[in-house]
Amino acid sequence: MSHVVERVRDEIISAIKNDQLVLPTLPEVALQVREVADDPDASLDQLAKVIGNDAALSARIIRVANSPLLRANRHIEDLKTALSRLGMEYTCNLATGLAMEQMFQATSDLVDSRLRDVWMRSSEVAGICHVLCRHYTKLQPDKATLAGLIHKIGVLPILTYAEEHPSLLTDSLTLDRVIDELQGPLGDMILKAWEFPEELVNVPSRHLKFDRKAETADYADLVTVALLQSHMGDGSAIGEMDYQDVTAFERLGMDPDMQSAEAEDLSDEMAAAMMALQ
C-alpha cells in the first residue's frame, strides 16, 4: 500500500474515532420500519402506515410484490395487499434496504456519480443474491436481498471524507485504493452501529475474502458469487478472477463455471430481480 493510501486510511479512521467524520445513520423511514419489525405485537396496518408516508418506497414495494420473483398470479395495486403478499419480515428487510438509496446522493457531481454507481451495483448484486438464495440455500431471500444492498455501505464515509478533501477526489486511483482497503471494515462498523442482524453485520468485509473458510454457506457467500456474476466479462480485476479459487462456490453447491447451462437458466430470473429493485 502506498504512503498516500496509508495516510488517507489513517486519517479517515482517526476522524471517525474523534467524531470528526460521522458514520451515516439510517433514513428515518428505515428506522420506523425497524421499530415496527422489533415489536412482536405490530400489525401489517402499522407497517403500511409507516411505509405509506413515503410514496416512492410504497411504489417500489408494490413493484417487488408484483415482480416475477414472487410468481404472483394476480396483479395488485395497493400497499396493504402488497404487504400481505410479502409478509412482515420480508417487507421490513426489503423496505430497510430500499430506503437506503436516498443515502447514496451527494452535493458534488463527482461524488454523486460515484455514489449512484455504487447503488446501481448494489441493486444488481441484491437481485442476484435473491435468486441464488432461493435456488441454492435454505437462507432467507429477503435477508439475501438486504445483504446485497448493504455490501458496499462502507463506501459512504470514504466519499464523505473525499468531498472535504478535493485533492483525493481528483486522484481516482488513490481513492479507489482507499475504498478497496477500507470499505469492508467501515461497512462492518456501520452495520454494527445500526444493530443489524448478526448474520449480516460482517457481509461488507467477508464477501471480499474470496478464499474464506466457513462451515456452511452464508449471506456473505451469496454476495461474493453475486458480485462476481455482476462483474463477469467487464474487464475489471473482479471480473477477471479465477473462480476456481473462490471457496463460496463449493459451499453454495455451485459450478464455478458461471457460463454453464445452469447459470444461463437463471439469467432471466436474475434480470427480473435486478429490474424489480432498481
Side-chain angles (χ1 to χ4, degrees), residues 50-114:
V50 169
I51 295 175
N53 290 326
D54 188 317
L57 182 58
S58 298
R60 296 181 73 184
I61 294 290
I62 292 172
R63 184 167 68 179
V64 171
N66 282 315
S67 73
L69 289 177
L70 301 179
R71 300 181 177 87
N73 53 20
R74 181 173 66 87
H75 186 79
I76 57 178
E77 298 181 358
D78 65 289
L79 180 61
K80 180 67 181 298
T81 307
L83 300 193
S84 297
R85 177 174 288 175
L86 294 172
M88 178 75 80
E89 185 175 8
Y90 194 115
T91 301
C92 288
N93 281 326
L94 181 65
T96 298
L98 293 178
M100 290 182 198
E101 182 176 9
Q102 61 188 266
M103 302 171 67
F104 287 81
Q105 298 175 22
T107 52
S108 75
D109 290 342
L110 197 53
V111 173
D112 192 64
S113 176
R114 273 185 172 263

Side-chain angles (χ1 to χ4, degrees), residues 152-204:
K152 297 189 78 170
I153 197 72
V155 172
L156 285 175
I158 299 172
L159 289 180
T160 297
Y161 174 90
E163 250 190 322
E164 299 169 359
H165 297 77
S167 60
L168 177 60
L169 201 56
T170 56
D171 183 358
S172 60
L173 184 61
T174 298
L175 181 55
D176 286 340
R177 290 186 63 187
V178 171
I179 288 174
D180 290 343
E181 171 79 14
L182 278 186
Q183 67 168 332
L186 285 181
D188 292 358
M189 286 176 60
I190 293 168
L191 297 184
K192 286 175 184 174
W194 290 351
E195 298 181 349
F196 261 52
E198 184 177 351
E199 60 266 44
L200 296 180
V201 163
N202 298 118
V203 164

Side-chain angles (χ1 to χ4, degrees), residues 3-277:
H3 292 303
V4 175
V5 174
E6 189 171 357
R7 176 179 57 78
V8 172
R9 173 188 179 280
D10 291 343
E11 286 179 2
I12 291 175
I13 292 174
S14 176
I16 291 172
K17 288 181 177 178
N18 296 322
D19 294 325
Q20 295 169 332
L21 182 63
V22 180
L23 292 176
T25 56
L26 276 171
E28 183 62 28
V29 66
L31 291 172
Q32 293 174 354
V33 164
R34 293 187 67 201
E35 186 176 344
V36 173
D38 291 338
D39 181 358
D41 298 321
S43 66
L44 283 177
D45 284 332
Q46 289 173 273
L47 185 59
K49 184 176 180 180
V50 169
I51 295 175
N53 290 326
D54 188 317
L57 182 58
S58 298
R60 296 181 73 184
I61 294 290
I62 292 172
R63 184 167 68 179
V64 171
N66 282 315
S67 73
L69 289 177
L70 301 179
R71 300 181 177 87
N73 53 20
R74 181 173 66 87
H75 186 79
I76 57 178
E77 298 181 358
D78 65 289
L79 180 61
K80 180 67 181 298
T81 307
L83 300 193
S84 297
R85 177 174 288 175
L86 294 172
M88 178 75 80
E89 185 175 8
Y90 194 115
T91 301
C92 288
N93 281 326
L94 181 65
T96 298
L98 293 178
M100 290 182 198
E101 182 176 9
Q102 61 188 266
M103 302 171 67
F104 287 81
Q105 298 175 22
T107 52
S108 75
D109 290 342
L110 197 53
V111 173
D112 192 64
S113 176
R114 273 185 172 263
L115 285 174
R116 290 183 185 279
D117 287 345
V118 169
W119 180 256
M120 184 66 69
R121 177 73 65 186
S122 298
S123 298
E124 289 181 6
V125 169
I128 298 171
C129 280
H130 188 288
V131 175
L132 294 178
C133 182
R134 284 189 179 277
H135 285 271
Y136 292 101
T137 78
K138 294 182 179 179
L139 298 170
Q140 297 171 249
D142 52 302
K143 282 187 178 177
T145 303
L146 183 55
L149 290 173
I150 52 88
H151 80 280
K152 297 189 78 170
I153 197 72
V155 172
L156 285 175
I158 299 172
L159 289 180
T160 297
Y161 174 90
E163 250 190 322
E164 299 169 359
H165 297 77
S167 60
L168 177 60
L169 201 56
T170 56
D171 183 358
S172 60
L173 184 61
T174 298
L175 181 55
D176 286 340
R177 290 186 63 187
V178 171
I179 288 174
D180 290 343
E181 171 79 14
L182 278 186
Q183 67 168 332
L186 285 181
D188 292 358
M189 286 176 60
I190 293 168
L191 297 184
K192 286 175 184 174
W194 290 351
E195 298 181 349
F196 261 52
E198 184 177 351
E199 60 266 44
L200 296 180
V201 163
N202 298 118
V203 164
S205 60
R206 288 180 179 170
H207 83 277
L208 291 170
K209 297 176 180 176
F210 299 107
D211 60 351
R212 186 170 65 95
K213 306 297 182 185
E215 292 185 7
T216 58
D218 56 22
Y219 294 102
D221 285 332
L222 290 170
V223 174
T224 296
V225 174
L227 182 67
L228 292 171
Q229 176 81 22
S230 73
H231 278 284
M232 188 166 60
D234 67 2
S236 66
I238 292 179
E240 298 298 318
M241 281 195 64
D242 184 349
Y243 300 154
Q244 301 294 333
D245 297 331
V246 180
T247 58
F249 285 102
E250 183 178 356
R251 286 191 292 275
L252 290 170
M254 291 183 63
D255 184 349
D257 179 11
M258 290 196 292
Q259 302 280 8
S260 67
E262 186 177 20
E264 286 294 318
D265 290 343
L266 296 180
S267 60
D268 289 344
E269 196 173 340
M270 289 177 179
M274 289 185 278
M275 184 71 68
L277 294 172

